[in-house]
């Protein structure tokens, strides 16, 4: 999670990064599929996927592949 803050702190405040992280973790399509999905919160777009357990059910950790702020896409590849 620290990697996420380190990569985004130049473009977003800590408060906005925290809100984005909470939004991504609660993003409903991530709860039903491990296929990467794109979403948007305000001016931020993202691509993330849920990790599955042995029984192929989406489970806890989420991998955030990239976050786009304005026109800049930031490769993150962080698990939160």
């Amino acid at each position: 999670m620290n990697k996420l803050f380190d990569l985004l702190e130049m473009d977003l405040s800590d408060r906005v990064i925290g809100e984005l992280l909470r939004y991504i973790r609660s993003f409903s399509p991530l709860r039903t599929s491990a296929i990467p999905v794109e979403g948007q919160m305000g001016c931020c777009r993202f691509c993330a996927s849920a990790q599955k357990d042995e029984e192929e059910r989406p489970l806890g950790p989420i991998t955030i592949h990239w976050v786009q702020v304005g026109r800049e896409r930031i490769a993150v590849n962080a698990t939160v």
Side-chain angles (χ1 to χ4, degrees):
M1 186 163 70
N2 290 335
K3 179 181 178 181
L4 178 69
F5 278 84
D6 290 345
L7 290 170
L8 297 177
E9 70 181 351
M10 297 298 284
D11 298 298
L12 302 170
S13 69
D14 286 350
R15 182 185 60 77
V16 173
I17 295 170
E19 289 174 7
L20 179 62
L21 178 60
R22 284 188 293 281
Y23 181 77
I24 291 172
R25 290 200 48 82
S26 69
F27 192 62
S28 58
L30 288 174
R31 297 286 144 218
T32 59
S33 175
I35 297 170
V37 294
E38 292 185 16
Q40 183 170 352
M41 183 191 93
C43 67
C44 300
R45 296 183 64 228
F46 61 87
C47 178
S49 59
Q51 295 181 7
K52 290 188 170 190
D53 64 7
E54 299 79 31
E55 296 178 19
E56 295 298 310
R57 295 178 305 201
L59 193 62
I62 292 174
T63 301
I64 302 171
H65 304 287
W66 54 260
V67 174
Q68 184 171 332
V69 181
R71 293 180 181 224
E72 180 182 5
R73 184 172 288 183
I74 303 162
V76 177
N77 292 321
T79 299
V80 294

